[in-house]
Amino acid sequence: NTVPPLPPPVAAFSVSDSSVCEGTCVNFTDLSANSPTSWLWIFQGSTTSFSTQQNPASVCYNVPGTYPVTLIVENATGTDTLTVSAITVNGNPVAPALTASGDTLFATPGFSGYEWYLDSVLIAGASGDFYITTTNGGYSVIITDSNGCTSASFPFVLNTGLTESAVN
């Protein structure tokens, strides 16, 4: 009674996220058929140029572009290679500019999300492209673009000069 030979492997994989923002890391999962015994991953455009792990984790991309991923698998009866344009890296938006008019701060308009901060603490409910201030301090905003990528403003120090003074 002879056991038929194992067929050659068929390379296949998945990625945790195929469209990311610059500076993001992703994980790859081997989905290859026919029991491969070795793996060679090639990650163009990544800070990790290659890996021999079955399921490489924390593969990071810092430069916008679309990058191919190659997986070469092997078992006792052969090899298979799969190359896919698997990763699109979106650039982070330019840091928003903050301007003031009276008690209102304005951020660069046109983004899908805004989070305002006072002295590095999130201001609950402040989610528009402007914020009406209620106190002096260091204000900043984090914007989110349509790709889900973010950028933070430089702090804007608001000092209205309002001080209480005693009148005799």
Side-chain angles (χ1 to χ4, degrees):
N1 192 2
T2 61
V3 176
L6 184 67
V10 178
F13 65 87
S14 67
V15 61
S16 59
D17 194 346
S18 61
S19 180
V20 299
C21 302
E22 61 185 291
T24 300
C25 302
V26 296
N27 303 321
F28 289 87
T29 302
D30 172 49
L31 301 173
S32 301
N34 302 328
S35 303
T37 54
S38 71
W39 300 264
L40 176 60
W41 298 82
I42 302 168
F43 304 111
Q44 292 185 27
S46 166
T47 58
T48 304
S49 55
F50 73 93
S51 174
T52 57
Q53 296 177 345
Q54 182 178 6
N55 299 303
S58 297
V59 177
C60 304
Y61 291 86
N62 294 330
V63 179
T66 299
Y67 299 104
V69 173
T70 299
L71 172 59
I72 304 168
V73 291
E74 182 177 11
N75 68 15
T77 56
T79 64
D80 189 38
T81 301
L82 174 65
T83 300
V84 178
S85 290
I87 302 292
T88 299
V89 181
N90 300 295
N92 290 327
V94 173
L98 295 182
T99 56
S101 178
D103 63 354
T104 304
L105 292 175
F106 296 91
T108 306
F111 293 95
S112 60
Y114 295 83
E115 290 182 338
W116 288 89
Y117 292 80
L118 172 58
D119 297 327
S120 301
V121 176
L122 179 66
I123 302 169
S127 58
D129 62 2
F130 68 93
Y131 179 71
I132 300 171
T133 64
T134 57
T135 185
N136 290 334
Y139 288 86
S140 61
V141 66
I142 294 177
I143 55 165
T144 302
D145 69 11
S146 59
N147 293 315
C149 300
T150 61
S151 186
S153 69
F154 289 103
F156 186 100
V157 177
L158 184 67
N159 183 356
T160 59
L162 296 175
T163 57
E164 292 183 17
S165 57
V167 178
N168 292 342

